[in-house]
Coordinates of all heavy atoms in Angstrom, one line a residue:
S235 N -0.6 93.1 -2.9 CA -1.6 92.0 -3.1 C -1.5 91.0 -2.0 O -0.6 90.9 -1.2 CB -1.2 91.3 -4.4 OG 0.1 90.8 -4.3
G236 N -2.6 90.3 -1.8 CA -2.7 89.3 -0.7 C -3.2 89.9 0.6 O -3.4 91.1 0.7
T237 N -3.3 89.0 1.6 CA -3.7 89.5 2.9 C -2.5 89.7 3.8 O -2.7 90.2 4.9 CB -4.6 88.4 3.5 OG1 -3.9 87.2 3.6 CG2 -5.9 88.3 2.7
Y238 N -1.3 89.3 3.4 CA -0.1 89.5 4.2 C 1.1 89.5 3.3 O 1.2 88.9 2.3 CB 0.0 88.3 5.2 CG 1.2 88.4 6.1 CD1 1.1 89.1 7.3 CD2 2.4 87.7 5.8 CE1 2.2 89.2 8.1 CE2 3.4 87.7 6.7 CZ 3.4 88.5 7.8 OH 4.4 88.6 8.7
G239 N 2.1 90.3 3.7 CA 3.4 90.4 3.0 C 3.2 91.1 1.6 O 2.4 91.9 1.5
N240 N 4.2 90.8 0.7 CA 4.2 91.4 -0.6 C 4.4 92.9 -0.6 O 4.0 93.6 -1.6 CB 2.9 91.0 -1.4 CG 2.7 89.6 -1.5 OD1 3.6 88.8 -1.8 ND2 1.5 89.1 -1.4
K241 N 4.9 93.5 0.5 CA 5.0 94.9 0.6 C 6.1 95.5 -0.4 O 6.1 96.7 -0.7 CB 5.4 95.3 2.0 CG 4.3 95.2 3.0 CD 4.6 95.7 4.4 CE 3.5 95.6 5.3 NZ 3.9 96.2 6.7
E242 N 6.9 94.6 -0.9 CA 7.9 95.1 -1.9 C 7.2 95.6 -3.2 O 7.8 96.4 -3.9 CB 8.9 94.0 -2.2 CG 8.4 92.8 -3.0 CD 7.6 91.8 -2.1 OE1 7.7 91.9 -0.9 OE2 7.1 90.8 -2.7
E243 N 6.0 95.3 -3.4 CA 5.2 95.8 -4.5 C 4.9 97.3 -4.4 O 4.8 98.0 -5.4 CB 3.9 95.1 -4.7 CG 4.0 93.6 -4.9 CD 2.6 92.9 -4.9 OE1 1.6 93.5 -4.6 OE2 2.6 91.7 -5.2
C244 N 4.9 97.8 -3.2 CA 4.6 99.2 -2.9 C 5.7 99.8 -2.0 O 5.5 99.8 -0.8 CB 3.3 99.3 -2.2 SG 1.9 98.5 -3.1
P245 N 6.8 100.3 -2.6 CA 7.8 100.9 -1.7 C 7.3 101.9 -0.7 O 7.8 102.0 0.4 CB 8.9 101.4 -2.7 CG 8.6 100.7 -4.0 CD 7.2 100.3 -4.0
C246 N 6.5 102.8 -1.2 CA 6.0 103.9 -0.3 C 5.2 103.2 0.9 O 5.5 103.6 2.1 CB 5.0 104.8 -1.1 SG 4.0 105.9 -0.1
Y247 N 4.4 102.3 0.6 CA 3.6 101.6 1.6 C 4.6 100.8 2.6 O 4.4 100.8 3.8 CB 2.7 100.6 0.9 CG 1.6 99.9 1.6 CD1 0.3 100.4 1.5 CD2 1.8 98.8 2.4 CE1 -0.8 99.8 2.2 CE2 0.7 98.2 3.1 CZ -0.5 98.7 3.0 OH -1.6 98.1 3.6
N248 N 5.6 100.2 2.0 CA 6.6 99.4 2.8 C 7.5 100.3 3.7 O 7.8 99.9 4.8 CB 7.4 98.6 1.8 CG 8.3 97.6 2.5 OD1 7.9 97.1 3.6 ND2 9.5 97.4 2.0
N249 N 7.8 101.5 3.2 CA 8.8 102.3 3.9 C 8.3 103.4 4.8 O 9.0 104.0 5.5 CB 9.7 103.1 2.8 CG 10.5 102.1 2.0 OD1 10.8 101.0 2.4 ND2 10.8 102.5 0.7
W250 N 6.9 103.5 4.9 CA 6.3 104.4 5.8 C 6.4 103.8 7.2 O 5.8 102.8 7.4 CB 4.9 104.8 5.4 CG 4.4 106.0 5.9 CD1 5.0 107.0 6.6 CD2 3.0 106.4 5.9 NE1 4.2 108.0 7.0 CE2 2.9 107.7 6.6 CE3 1.8 105.9 5.4 CZ2 1.7 108.4 6.7 CZ3 0.6 106.6 5.5 CH2 0.6 107.8 6.1
K251 N 7.0 104.5 8.1 CA 7.3 103.9 9.5 C 6.7 104.8 10.6 O 6.4 106.0 10.4 CB 8.8 103.8 9.8 CG 9.6 103.0 8.7 CD 9.3 101.5 8.7 CE 10.2 100.8 7.7 NZ 9.7 99.6 7.4
T252 N 6.4 104.2 11.7 CA 5.9 104.9 12.9 C 7.1 105.6 13.5 O 8.3 105.4 13.1 CB 5.3 104.0 13.9 OG1 6.3 103.1 14.4 CG2 4.1 103.2 13.4
K253 N 6.9 106.4 14.5 CA 8.0 107.1 15.3 C 8.9 106.1 15.8 O 10.1 106.4 16.0 CB 7.4 108.0 16.4 CG 6.6 109.2 15.9 CD 6.0 109.9 17.1 CE 5.1 111.0 16.5 NZ 4.3 111.7 17.6
E254 N 8.4 104.9 16.2 CA 9.3 103.9 16.8 C 10.0 103.1 15.7 O 10.8 102.2 16.1 CB 8.4 102.9 17.6 CG 7.8 103.5 18.9 CD 6.5 104.3 18.5 OE1 5.8 104.0 17.6 OE2 6.2 105.3 19.3
G255 N 9.8 103.4 14.5 CA 10.5 102.7 13.4 C 9.8 101.4 12.9 O 10.4 100.7 12.1
K256 N 8.6 101.1 13.4 CA 7.9 100.0 13.0 C 7.1 100.3 11.7 O 6.7 101.5 11.5 CB 7.0 99.5 14.1 CG 7.7 99.0 15.3 CD 6.8 98.6 16.4 CE 7.6 98.1 17.6 NZ 6.7 97.8 18.7
P257 N 6.7 99.3 11.0 CA 5.9 99.6 9.8 C 4.5 100.2 10.1 O 3.8 99.7 11.1 CB 5.6 98.2 9.2 CG 6.6 97.3 9.8 CD 7.0 97.9 11.1
K258 N 4.1 101.2 9.4 CA 2.9 101.9 9.7 C 1.7 101.2 8.9 O 0.6 101.2 9.4 CB 3.0 103.4 9.2 CG 1.7 104.2 9.6 CD 2.0 105.7 9.3 CE 1.2 106.5 10.2 NZ 1.8 107.1 11.3
C259 N 2.1 100.7 7.8 CA 1.0 100.1 6.9 C 0.9 98.6 7.0 O 2.0 97.9 7.1 CB 1.3 100.4 5.4 SG 1.5 102.2 5.2

C-alpha cells in the first residue's frame, strides 16, 4: 500500500533482489 515503503506487507515483493542484492521491486 502507498507510494513508498510498506514492503513488509508483501514478503515476496520485499525479498526479491537483483544480482547486486538490491531490491528489485
Side-chain angles (χ1 to χ4, degrees):
S235 61
T237 57
Y238 182 80
N240 304 318
K241 289 186 180 182
E242 67 279 353
E243 296 174 356
C244 306
C246 167
Y247 194 98
N248 188 35
N249 297 332
W250 199 12
K251 306 289 185 200
T252 63
K253 292 176 188 173
E254 294 81 28
K256 296 179 180 178
K258 188 172 205 100
C259 305

